[in-house]
Amino acid sequence: MSRSEDNSGLARFIVLVVLLAIVIVGAYFLVNRSKSNTEEDIVLTAVQKITTINLATSYPPTPREVVDLYCQIMKVMYKETYTDTEFDQMATIMAGIFDDELLAAQSNWPTGLYSDVTTKKEGDYSISVYTVQPSGEITIQEVNGENIAYVQVNFAFRHGTTTEPQTYQYVLRQDAQSRWKILGWTVLSSN
């Protein structure tokens, strides 16, 4: 065997190894690129963002975040299109952030909520925007041995082409698992 035959065999081997490496690296990047495109292509609707919340694993940790979740749900219920099943899922999440005392006082839950939301939607009412009070300004105090938080929200309620600002104050109570639950609310001002 001559030296040139040994060199050509070695050259073929090197070319095959290089080509194999290029194919492997190319396949790796192609697979990872298609995975990231698939993940980026999934965009949840406003309704799905609510209905996919799992309060058992990701309960809002602060009074502000609990009230913000409630406001998000109401904004979606008034404005978006959804199925009866999706309404029930949103109502269940809402019930999960309500204090047991508030839920016990709701004799027709969630039928009353459904009627209220349907009336508002038919009347062309919606929540244009809302602003939840910053965490640093929220009052938390002990009342009768329980932690109570007071959270204000400024709403811009839209009816047809007019907008009406309103300020609500939400009262939350911390439960035995240290979760903040909405106990009730009042309208502080309406213009």
Side-chain angles (χ1 to χ4, degrees), residues 51-118:
T51 59
T52 57
I53 292 172
N54 183 345
L55 293 177
T57 59
S58 60
Y59 194 88
T62 67
R64 182 184 194 284
E65 292 174 83
V66 171
V67 171
D68 184 62
L69 176 56
Y70 172 79
C71 294
Q72 287 175 36
I73 294 170
M74 291 308 298
K75 185 175 182 178
V76 166
M77 283 184 164
Y78 283 3
K79 185 68 175 166
E80 303 297 328
T81 302
Y82 43 82
T83 66
D84 288 343
T85 300
E86 289 170 325
F87 174 84
D88 291 341
Q89 291 170 331
M90 289 187 286
T92 298
I93 291 165
M94 189 180 287
I97 61 173
F98 281 177
D99 188 272
D100 291 340
E101 191 175 317
L102 176 61
L103 278 174
Q106 306 294 318
S107 61
N108 59 349
W109 180 265
T111 307
L113 174 66
Y114 184 80
S115 295
D116 178 57
V117 167
T118 301

Short mmCIF file of all heavy atoms in Angstrom, two decimals, residues 51-118:
data_model
loop_
_atom_site.label_atom_id
_atom_site.label_comp_id
_atom_site.label_asym_id
_atom_site.label_seq_id
_atom_site.Cartn_x
_atom_site.Cartn_y
_atom_site.Cartn_z
N THR A 51 -58.62 31.61 33.28
CA THR A 51 -59.09 30.24 33.51
C THR A 51 -57.96 29.24 33.76
O THR A 51 -58.20 28.15 34.25
CB THR A 51 -59.96 29.74 32.33
OG1 THR A 51 -59.19 29.79 31.13
CG2 THR A 51 -61.22 30.58 32.19
N THR A 52 -56.73 29.61 33.42
CA THR A 52 -55.61 28.70 33.66
C THR A 52 -54.92 28.95 34.99
O THR A 52 -53.94 28.28 35.31
CB THR A 52 -54.58 28.80 32.52
OG1 THR A 52 -54.14 30.16 32.40
CG2 THR A 52 -55.16 28.32 31.20
N ILE A 53 -55.42 29.90 35.77
CA ILE A 53 -54.83 30.17 37.09
C ILE A 53 -55.14 29.00 38.02
O ILE A 53 -56.27 28.52 38.08
CB ILE A 53 -55.38 31.49 37.68
CG1 ILE A 53 -54.88 32.67 36.86
CG2 ILE A 53 -54.99 31.64 39.15
CD1 ILE A 53 -55.51 34.00 37.24
N ASN A 54 -54.14 28.57 38.75
CA ASN A 54 -54.31 27.51 39.75
C ASN A 54 -54.03 28.12 41.12
O ASN A 54 -52.87 28.30 41.49
CB ASN A 54 -53.37 26.34 39.45
CG ASN A 54 -53.56 25.20 40.42
OD1 ASN A 54 -54.18 25.33 41.47
ND2 ASN A 54 -53.00 24.06 40.07
N LEU A 55 -55.07 28.44 41.86
CA LEU A 55 -54.90 29.09 43.16
C LEU A 55 -54.22 28.17 44.18
O LEU A 55 -53.59 28.66 45.11
CB LEU A 55 -56.24 29.57 43.71
CG LEU A 55 -56.90 30.71 42.93
CD1 LEU A 55 -58.27 31.04 43.53
CD2 LEU A 55 -56.01 31.95 42.92
N ALA A 56 -54.32 26.87 43.99
CA ALA A 56 -53.68 25.93 44.93
C ALA A 56 -52.16 26.04 44.86
O ALA A 56 -51.47 25.87 45.85
CB ALA A 56 -54.12 24.51 44.63
N THR A 57 -51.64 26.35 43.66
CA THR A 57 -50.18 26.42 43.51
C THR A 57 -49.64 27.84 43.37
O THR A 57 -48.45 28.06 43.55
CB THR A 57 -49.73 25.61 42.28
OG1 THR A 57 -50.37 26.15 41.11
CG2 THR A 57 -50.06 24.14 42.44
N SER A 58 -50.52 28.79 43.03
CA SER A 58 -50.01 30.16 42.84
C SER A 58 -51.01 31.19 43.36
O SER A 58 -51.48 32.05 42.61
CB SER A 58 -49.71 30.40 41.36
OG SER A 58 -50.88 30.24 40.59
N TYR A 59 -51.32 31.10 44.64
CA TYR A 59 -52.25 32.06 45.25
C TYR A 59 -51.55 33.41 45.37
O TYR A 59 -50.38 33.48 45.75
CB TYR A 59 -52.69 31.59 46.65
CG TYR A 59 -53.88 32.36 47.15
CD1 TYR A 59 -55.17 31.96 46.84
CD2 TYR A 59 -53.71 33.53 47.89
CE1 TYR A 59 -56.26 32.68 47.26
CE2 TYR A 59 -54.80 34.27 48.31
CZ TYR A 59 -56.08 33.83 48.00
OH TYR A 59 -57.16 34.56 48.41
N PRO A 60 -52.23 34.50 45.04
CA PRO A 60 -51.60 35.83 45.13
C PRO A 60 -51.12 36.10 46.57
O PRO A 60 -51.90 35.98 47.50
CB PRO A 60 -52.72 36.80 44.74
CG PRO A 60 -53.76 35.97 44.07
CD PRO A 60 -53.62 34.58 44.58
N PRO A 61 -49.87 36.49 46.74
CA PRO A 61 -49.30 36.59 48.09
C PRO A 61 -49.64 37.85 48.87
O PRO A 61 -49.46 37.88 50.09
CB PRO A 61 -47.79 36.51 47.84
CG PRO A 61 -47.61 37.05 46.46
CD PRO A 61 -48.85 36.65 45.70
N THR A 62 -50.12 38.90 48.22
CA THR A 62 -50.37 40.16 48.93
C THR A 62 -51.81 40.61 48.73
O THR A 62 -52.47 40.21 47.76
CB THR A 62 -49.44 41.28 48.41
OG1 THR A 62 -49.79 41.58 47.05
CG2 THR A 62 -47.97 40.88 48.50
N PRO A 63 -52.31 41.46 49.64
CA PRO A 63 -53.66 41.99 49.45
C PRO A 63 -53.82 42.71 48.11
O PRO A 63 -54.83 42.57 47.44
CB PRO A 63 -53.83 42.98 50.61
CG PRO A 63 -52.84 42.56 51.63
CD PRO A 63 -51.71 41.94 50.89
N ARG A 64 -52.80 43.44 47.70
CA ARG A 64 -52.84 44.17 46.43
C ARG A 64 -53.02 43.20 45.26
O ARG A 64 -53.82 43.44 44.36
CB ARG A 64 -51.56 44.98 46.25
CG ARG A 64 -51.55 45.79 44.98
CD ARG A 64 -50.22 46.53 44.76
NE ARG A 64 -50.34 47.54 43.73
CZ ARG A 64 -50.39 47.29 42.43
NH1 ARG A 64 -50.32 46.04 42.00
NH2 ARG A 64 -50.51 48.27 41.55
N GLU A 65 -52.28 42.11 45.25
CA GLU A 65 -52.36 41.15 44.15
C GLU A 65 -53.69 40.40 44.13
O GLU A 65 -54.19 40.05 43.06
CB GLU A 65 -51.18 40.18 44.22
CG GLU A 65 -49.85 40.85 43.92
CD GLU A 65 -48.67 39.93 44.11
OE1 GLU A 65 -48.39 39.15 43.17
OE2 GLU A 65 -48.04 39.99 45.18
N VAL A 66 -54.28 40.17 45.31
CA VAL A 66 -55.60 39.53 45.36
C VAL A 66 -56.64 40.45 44.73
O VAL A 66 -57.44 40.03 43.89
CB VAL A 66 -55.99 39.18 46.82
CG1 VAL A 66 -57.44 38.72 46.89
CG2 VAL A 66 -55.06 38.11 47.38
N VAL A 67 -56.60 41.73 45.11
CA VAL A 67 -57.56 42.69 44.56
C VAL A 67 -57.31 42.86 43.05
O VAL A 67 -58.26 42.95 42.27
CB VAL A 67 -57.49 44.03 45.31
CG1 VAL A 67 -58.31 45.11 44.62
CG2 VAL A 67 -57.96 43.84 46.75
N ASP A 68 -56.06 42.91 42.65
CA ASP A 68 -55.75 43.03 41.22
C ASP A 68 -56.32 41.85 40.44
O ASP A 68 -56.88 42.03 39.36
CB ASP A 68 -54.23 43.14 41.01
CG ASP A 68 -53.89 43.36 39.55
OD1 ASP A 68 -54.30 44.42 39.00
OD2 ASP A 68 -53.21 42.50 38.95
N LEU A 69 -56.21 40.65 40.97
CA LEU A 69 -56.78 39.47 40.30
C LEU A 69 -58.29 39.61 40.18
O LEU A 69 -58.87 39.33 39.12
CB LEU A 69 -56.41 38.19 41.04
CG LEU A 69 -57.01 36.89 40.50
CD1 LEU A 69 -56.67 36.68 39.03
CD2 LEU A 69 -56.56 35.71 41.35
N TYR A 70 -58.94 40.05 41.25
CA TYR A 70 -60.39 40.25 41.20
C TYR A 70 -60.75 41.25 40.09
O TYR A 70 -61.67 41.01 39.30
CB TYR A 70 -60.91 40.75 42.55
CG TYR A 70 -62.35 41.16 42.51
CD1 TYR A 70 -63.37 40.21 42.55
CD2 TYR A 70 -62.72 42.50 42.40
CE1 TYR A 70 -64.70 40.57 42.48
CE2 TYR A 70 -64.05 42.87 42.34
CZ TYR A 70 -65.04 41.92 42.38
OH TYR A 70 -66.35 42.28 42.30
N CYS A 71 -60.03 42.36 40.03
CA CYS A 71 -60.30 43.39 39.02
C CYS A 71 -60.06 42.86 37.60
O CYS A 71 -60.83 43.16 36.68
CB CYS A 71 -59.44 44.63 39.28
SG CYS A 71 -59.83 45.49 40.81
N GLN A 72 -59.01 42.06 37.44
CA GLN A 72 -58.74 41.45 36.13
C GLN A 72 -59.92 40.57 35.70
O GLN A 72 -60.35 40.62 34.54
CB GLN A 72 -57.48 40.59 36.18
CG GLN A 72 -56.19 41.33 36.25
CD GLN A 72 -55.03 40.34 36.41
OE1 GLN A 72 -55.05 39.24 35.86
NE2 GLN A 72 -54.03 40.73 37.17
N ILE A 73 -60.41 39.77 36.63
CA ILE A 73 -61.52 38.86 36.32
C ILE A 73 -62.75 39.68 35.92
O ILE A 73 -63.40 39.38 34.91
CB ILE A 73 -61.84 37.94 37.50
CG1 ILE A 73 -60.66 36.98 37.77
CG2 ILE A 73 -63.12 37.14 37.24
CD1 ILE A 73 -60.78 36.20 39.07
N MET A 74 -63.07 40.72 36.68
CA MET A 74 -64.25 41.53 36.36
C MET A 74 -64.09 42.23 35.02
O MET A 74 -65.04 42.28 34.23
CB MET A 74 -64.53 42.55 37.48
CG MET A 74 -64.99 41.91 38.77
SD MET A 74 -66.40 40.78 38.61
CE MET A 74 -67.68 41.87 38.00
N LYS A 75 -62.90 42.73 34.73
CA LYS A 75 -62.66 43.40 33.46
C LYS A 75 -62.89 42.42 32.30
O LYS A 75 -63.53 42.76 31.30
CB LYS A 75 -61.23 43.96 33.42
CG LYS A 75 -60.94 44.77 32.18
CD LYS A 75 -59.57 45.42 32.24
CE LYS A 75 -59.34 46.25 30.99
NZ LYS A 75 -58.06 46.93 31.00
N VAL A 76 -62.38 41.21 32.44
CA VAL A 76 -62.54 40.19 31.40
C VAL A 76 -64.01 39.78 31.28
O VAL A 76 -64.54 39.66 30.17
CB VAL A 76 -61.64 38.97 31.70
CG1 VAL A 76 -62.02 37.77 30.85
CG2 VAL A 76 -60.18 39.33 31.49
N MET A 77 -64.68 39.60 32.41
CA MET A 77 -66.09 39.18 32.36
C MET A 77 -66.95 40.22 31.66
O MET A 77 -67.87 39.87 30.91
CB MET A 77 -66.62 38.93 33.77
CG MET A 77 -66.17 37.63 34.37
SD MET A 77 -66.95 37.39 35.98
CE MET A 77 -66.64 35.65 36.23
N TYR A 78 -66.70 41.49 31.89
CA TYR A 78 -67.51 42.55 31.29
C TYR A 78 -67.21 42.75 29.80
O TYR A 78 -68.08 43.16 29.05
CB TYR A 78 -67.27 43.88 32.00
CG TYR A 78 -67.96 44.05 33.33
CD1 TYR A 78 -68.70 43.04 33.92
CD2 TYR A 78 -67.86 45.25 34.02
CE1 TYR A 78 -69.32 43.21 35.14
CE2 TYR A 78 -68.48 45.43 35.25
CZ TYR A 78 -69.21 44.41 35.80
OH TYR A 78 -69.82 44.59 37.02
N LYS A 79 -66.00 42.48 29.37
CA LYS A 79 -65.58 42.87 28.03
C LYS A 79 -65.45 41.71 27.03
O LYS A 79 -65.76 41.86 25.86
CB LYS A 79 -64.24 43.61 28.13
CG LYS A 79 -63.75 44.18 26.83
CD LYS A 79 -64.62 45.32 26.36
CE LYS A 79 -64.05 45.96 25.11
NZ LYS A 79 -64.99 46.80 24.47
N GLU A 80 -64.97 40.59 27.48
CA GLU A 80 -64.59 39.50 26.57
C GLU A 80 -65.75 38.56 26.27
O GLU A 80 -66.74 38.53 26.97
CB GLU A 80 -63.42 38.71 27.15
CG GLU A 80 -62.19 39.54 27.47
CD GLU A 80 -61.55 40.18 26.26
OE1 GLU A 80 -61.60 39.60 25.17
OE2 GLU A 80 -60.99 41.29 26.42
N THR A 81 -65.56 37.76 25.23
CA THR A 81 -66.50 36.70 24.88
C THR A 81 -65.96 35.39 25.43
O THR A 81 -64.77 35.11 25.33
CB THR A 81 -66.62 36.60 23.34
OG1 THR A 81 -67.05 37.87 22.85
CG2 THR A 81 -67.62 35.54 22.93
N TYR A 82 -66.84 34.60 26.03
CA TYR A 82 -66.41 33.33 26.63
C TYR A 82 -67.60 32.38 26.69
O TYR A 82 -68.76 32.79 26.56
CB TYR A 82 -65.83 33.55 28.03
CG TYR A 82 -66.61 34.53 28.87
CD1 TYR A 82 -67.73 34.13 29.57
CD2 TYR A 82 -66.22 35.86 28.94
CE1 TYR A 82 -68.47 35.03 30.32
CE2 TYR A 82 -66.94 36.77 29.68
CZ TYR A 82 -68.08 36.35 30.38
OH TYR A 82 -68.80 37.25 31.12
N THR A 83 -67.29 31.13 26.91
CA THR A 83 -68.31 30.10 27.01
C THR A 83 -68.85 30.04 28.44
O THR A 83 -68.27 30.62 29.36
CB THR A 83 -67.75 28.71 26.64
OG1 THR A 83 -66.77 28.35 27.63
CG2 THR A 83 -67.12 28.71 25.25
N ASP A 84 -69.95 29.32 28.62
CA ASP A 84 -70.50 29.13 29.97
C ASP A 84 -69.50 28.39 30.86
O ASP A 84 -69.37 28.69 32.05
CB ASP A 84 -71.81 28.35 29.92
CG ASP A 84 -72.97 29.17 29.36
OD1 ASP A 84 -72.85 30.42 29.30
OD2 ASP A 84 -73.99 28.56 28.98
N THR A 85 -68.79 27.45 30.28
CA THR A 85 -67.77 26.72 31.04
C THR A 85 -66.66 27.65 31.50
O THR A 85 -66.22 27.59 32.65
CB THR A 85 -67.18 25.56 30.20
OG1 THR A 85 -68.24 24.67 29.84
CG2 THR A 85 -66.10 24.81 30.96
N GLU A 86 -66.22 28.54 30.61
CA GLU A 86 -65.18 29.50 30.98
C GLU A 86 -65.68 30.48 32.03
O GLU A 86 -64.95 30.85 32.96
CB GLU A 86 -64.67 30.25 29.74
CG GLU A 86 -63.85 29.37 28.82
CD GLU A 86 -63.54 30.02 27.49
OE1 GLU A 86 -64.40 30.78 26.95
OE2 GLU A 86 -62.44 29.76 26.95
N PHE A 87 -66.96 30.88 31.94
CA PHE A 87 -67.53 31.74 32.98
C PHE A 87 -67.47 31.01 34.32
O PHE A 87 -67.07 31.59 35.33
CB PHE A 87 -68.99 32.12 32.66
CG PHE A 87 -69.62 32.87 33.80
CD1 PHE A 87 -69.45 34.23 33.93
CD2 PHE A 87 -70.36 32.18 34.76
CE1 PHE A 87 -70.00 34.92 35.01
CE2 PHE A 87 -70.90 32.85 35.84
CZ PHE A 87 -70.73 34.23 35.97
N ASP A 88 -67.89 29.75 34.33
CA ASP A 88 -67.87 28.96 35.57
C ASP A 88 -66.45 28.86 36.14
O ASP A 88 -66.26 28.94 37.36
CB ASP A 88 -68.45 27.56 35.35
CG ASP A 88 -69.95 27.59 35.08
OD1 ASP A 88 -70.62 28.60 35.42
OD2 ASP A 88 -70.46 26.58 34.52
N GLN A 89 -65.46 28.68 35.26
CA GLN A 89 -64.07 28.61 35.72
C GLN A 89 -63.64 29.94 36.34
O GLN A 89 -62.99 29.96 37.38
CB GLN A 89 -63.14 28.25 34.56
CG GLN A 89 -63.32 26.83 34.06
CD GLN A 89 -62.58 26.57 32.75
OE1 GLN A 89 -62.38 27.47 31.93
NE2 GLN A 89 -62.18 25.33 32.54
N MET A 90 -63.99 31.05 35.70
CA MET A 90 -63.63 32.37 36.25
C MET A 90 -64.35 32.62 37.58
O MET A 90 -63.75 33.15 38.52
CB MET A 90 -63.94 33.48 35.24
CG MET A 90 -63.00 33.47 34.05
SD MET A 90 -63.21 34.90 32.93
CE MET A 90 -64.74 34.48 32.10
N ALA A 91 -65.62 32.22 37.67
CA ALA A 91 -66.38 32.38 38.91
C ALA A 91 -65.77 31.52 40.03
O ALA A 91 -65.72 31.95 41.19
CB ALA A 91 -67.85 32.02 38.69
N THR A 92 -65.28 30.37 39.68
CA THR A 92 -64.63 29.49 40.68
C THR A 92 -63.35 30.13 41.20
O THR A 92 -63.07 30.10 42.40
CB THR A 92 -64.34 28.10 40.07
OG1 THR A 92 -65.58 27.51 39.69
CG2 THR A 92 -63.61 27.21 41.05
N ILE A 93 -62.58 30.72 40.31
CA ILE A 93 -61.35 31.41 40.74
C ILE A 93 -61.71 32.60 41.61
O ILE A 93 -61.08 32.84 42.64
CB ILE A 93 -60.50 31.80 39.52
CG1 ILE A 93 -59.94 30.53 38.88
CG2 ILE A 93 -59.36 32.75 39.91
CD1 ILE A 93 -59.37 30.69 37.51
N MET A 94 -62.74 33.33 41.22
CA MET A 94 -63.18 34.47 42.02
C MET A 94 -63.60 33.99 43.42
O MET A 94 -63.24 34.59 44.43
CB MET A 94 -64.33 35.19 41.33
CG MET A 94 -64.71 36.50 41.99
SD MET A 94 -66.07 37.32 41.14
CE MET A 94 -65.22 37.90 39.68
N ALA A 95 -64.37 32.92 43.48
CA ALA A 95 -64.80 32.38 44.77
C ALA A 95 -63.59 31.97 45.61
O ALA A 95 -63.61 32.08 46.84
CB ALA A 95 -65.73 31.19 44.56
N GLY A 96 -62.53 31.54 44.96
CA GLY A 96 -61.31 31.13 45.67
C GLY A 96 -60.58 32.27 46.34
O GLY A 96 -59.78 32.05 47.25
N ILE A 97 -60.83 33.51 45.91
CA ILE A 97 -60.18 34.67 46.55
C ILE A 97 -61.15 35.42 47.47
O ILE A 97 -60.79 36.43 48.06
CB ILE A 97 -59.54 35.63 45.53
CG1 ILE A 97 -60.57 36.22 44.58
CG2 ILE A 97 -58.40 34.94 44.80
CD1 ILE A 97 -60.03 37.31 43.65
N PHE A 98 -62.38 34.91 47.59
CA PHE A 98 -63.37 35.50 48.49
C PHE A 98 -63.27 34.84 49.86
O PHE A 98 -63.06 33.63 49.97
CB PHE A 98 -64.79 35.30 47.96
CG PHE A 98 -65.19 36.26 46.86
CD1 PHE A 98 -66.43 36.12 46.26
CD2 PHE A 98 -64.37 37.28 46.42
CE1 PHE A 98 -66.83 36.98 45.26
CE2 PHE A 98 -64.76 38.14 45.41
CZ PHE A 98 -66.00 38.00 44.83
N ASP A 99 -63.49 35.64 50.89
CA ASP A 99 -63.56 35.14 52.25
C ASP A 99 -64.80 34.25 52.39
O ASP A 99 -65.82 34.50 51.72
CB ASP A 99 -63.65 36.33 53.21
CG ASP A 99 -63.53 35.92 54.66
OD1 ASP A 99 -64.58 35.60 55.27
OD2 ASP A 99 -62.40 35.91 55.18
N ASP A 100 -64.73 33.24 53.23
CA ASP A 100 -65.87 32.34 53.43
C ASP A 100 -67.12 33.10 53.86
O ASP A 100 -68.24 32.76 53.47
CB ASP A 100 -65.53 31.26 54.47
CG ASP A 100 -64.50 30.27 53.96
OD1 ASP A 100 -64.32 30.16 52.72
OD2 ASP A 100 -63.87 29.60 54.80
N GLU A 101 -66.93 34.14 54.66
CA GLU A 101 -68.06 34.94 55.13
C GLU A 101 -68.75 35.65 53.96
O GLU A 101 -69.98 35.73 53.90
CB GLU A 101 -67.57 35.96 56.17
CG GLU A 101 -68.67 36.66 56.91
CD GLU A 101 -68.12 37.56 58.01
OE1 GLU A 101 -67.20 37.14 58.73
OE2 GLU A 101 -68.63 38.70 58.13
N LEU A 102 -67.98 36.18 53.03
CA LEU A 102 -68.56 36.83 51.86
C LEU A 102 -69.30 35.81 51.00
O LEU A 102 -70.41 36.08 50.53
CB LEU A 102 -67.47 37.53 51.04
CG LEU A 102 -67.91 38.18 49.73
CD1 LEU A 102 -68.95 39.28 49.98
CD2 LEU A 102 -66.71 38.75 48.98
N LEU A 103 -68.70 34.66 50.79
CA LEU A 103 -69.37 33.62 49.98
C LEU A 103 -70.66 33.15 50.64
O LEU A 103 -71.66 32.92 49.96
CB LEU A 103 -68.44 32.44 49.75
CG LEU A 103 -67.43 32.60 48.63
CD1 LEU A 103 -66.47 31.43 48.59
CD2 LEU A 103 -68.11 32.78 47.29
N ALA A 104 -70.65 33.01 51.97
CA ALA A 104 -71.85 32.55 52.68
C ALA A 104 -72.99 33.56 52.53
O ALA A 104 -74.17 33.18 52.52
CB ALA A 104 -71.53 32.32 54.16
N ALA A 105 -72.66 34.83 52.37
CA ALA A 105 -73.67 35.87 52.22
C ALA A 105 -74.25 35.92 50.80
O ALA A 105 -75.25 36.59 50.55
CB ALA A 105 -73.09 37.24 52.59
N GLN A 106 -73.64 35.21 49.87
CA GLN A 106 -74.08 35.19 48.47
C GLN A 106 -75.05 34.02 48.29
O GLN A 106 -74.64 32.91 47.97
CB GLN A 106 -72.89 35.03 47.52
CG GLN A 106 -71.79 36.03 47.70
CD GLN A 106 -72.24 37.44 47.34
OE1 GLN A 106 -72.93 37.65 46.35
NE2 GLN A 106 -71.83 38.39 48.15
N SER A 107 -76.33 34.27 48.47
CA SER A 107 -77.31 33.19 48.41
C SER A 107 -77.48 32.62 47.00
O SER A 107 -77.89 31.48 46.84
CB SER A 107 -78.67 33.68 48.93
OG SER A 107 -79.12 34.75 48.12
N ASN A 108 -77.14 33.40 45.98
CA ASN A 108 -77.34 32.93 44.61
C ASN A 108 -76.03 32.91 43.81
O ASN A 108 -76.03 33.25 42.64
CB ASN A 108 -78.40 33.79 43.92
CG ASN A 108 -78.01 35.25 43.88
OD1 ASN A 108 -77.06 35.68 44.53
ND2 ASN A 108 -78.75 36.04 43.12
N TRP A 109 -74.95 32.52 44.44
CA TRP A 109 -73.65 32.47 43.77
C TRP A 109 -73.58 31.24 42.89
O TRP A 109 -73.97 30.16 43.36
CB TRP A 109 -72.52 32.45 44.80
CG TRP A 109 -71.16 32.40 44.18
CD1 TRP A 109 -70.42 31.29 43.94
CD2 TRP A 109 -70.41 33.50 43.68
NE1 TRP A 109 -69.25 31.63 43.32
CE2 TRP A 109 -69.23 33.00 43.15
CE3 TRP A 109 -70.64 34.87 43.60
CZ2 TRP A 109 -68.26 33.80 42.58
CZ3 TRP A 109 -69.68 35.66 43.04
CH2 TRP A 109 -68.49 35.12 42.53
N PRO A 110 -73.10 31.23 41.71
CA PRO A 110 -72.65 32.34 40.89
C PRO A 110 -73.73 32.87 39.95
O PRO A 110 -73.45 33.70 39.09
CB PRO A 110 -71.50 31.74 40.10
CG PRO A 110 -71.92 30.33 39.86
CD PRO A 110 -72.69 29.93 41.11
N THR A 111 -75.00 32.42 40.13
CA THR A 111 -76.08 32.86 39.25
C THR A 111 -76.25 34.37 39.30
O THR A 111 -76.45 35.01 38.26
CB THR A 111 -77.41 32.16 39.66
OG1 THR A 111 -77.18 30.75 39.69
CG2 THR A 111 -78.51 32.47 38.69
N GLY A 112 -76.16 34.96 40.49
CA GLY A 112 -76.29 36.41 40.63
C GLY A 112 -75.17 37.14 39.90
O GLY A 112 -75.40 38.18 39.26
N LEU A 113 -73.97 36.60 39.97
CA LEU A 113 -72.83 37.19 39.25
C LEU A 113 -73.08 37.12 37.76
O LEU A 113 -72.87 38.10 37.03
CB LEU A 113 -71.53 36.46 39.61
CG LEU A 113 -70.29 36.87 38.82
CD1 LEU A 113 -69.90 38.31 39.13
CD2 LEU A 113 -69.13 35.92 39.13
N TYR A 114 -73.56 35.99 37.28
CA TYR A 114 -73.84 35.82 35.85
C TYR A 114 -74.88 36.84 35.39
O TYR A 114 -74.72 37.47 34.34
CB TYR A 114 -74.30 34.39 35.56
CG TYR A 114 -74.50 34.13 34.09
CD1 TYR A 114 -73.42 33.86 33.27
CD2 TYR A 114 -75.77 34.18 33.52
CE1 TYR A 114 -73.59 33.63 31.90
CE2 TYR A 114 -75.95 33.96 32.17
CZ TYR A 114 -74.86 33.68 31.37
OH TYR A 114 -75.03 33.47 30.02
N SER A 115 -75.94 37.01 36.16
CA SER A 115 -76.99 37.98 35.81
C SER A 115 -76.44 39.39 35.77
O SER A 115 -76.73 40.16 34.84
CB SER A 115 -78.14 37.91 36.82
OG SER A 115 -78.77 36.66 36.75
N ASP A 116 -75.63 39.75 36.76
CA ASP A 116 -75.05 41.09 36.82
C ASP A 116 -74.13 41.33 35.62
O ASP A 116 -74.22 42.37 34.96
CB ASP A 116 -74.26 41.27 38.12
CG ASP A 116 -73.60 42.63 38.20
OD1 ASP A 116 -74.32 43.65 38.12
OD2 ASP A 116 -72.35 42.68 38.35
N VAL A 117 -73.28 40.38 35.33
CA VAL A 117 -72.34 40.53 34.21
C VAL A 117 -73.09 40.60 32.89
O VAL A 117 -72.78 41.44 32.03
CB VAL A 117 -71.30 39.38 34.21
CG1 VAL A 117 -70.53 39.34 32.91
CG2 VAL A 117 -70.37 39.52 35.40
N THR A 118 -74.10 39.77 32.71
CA THR A 118 -74.89 39.78 31.48
C THR A 118 -75.58 41.13 31.29
O THR A 118 -75.57 41.69 30.19
CB THR A 118 -75.93 38.64 31.50
OG1 THR A 118 -75.24 37.40 31.63
CG2 THR A 118 -76.75 38.63 30.22
#
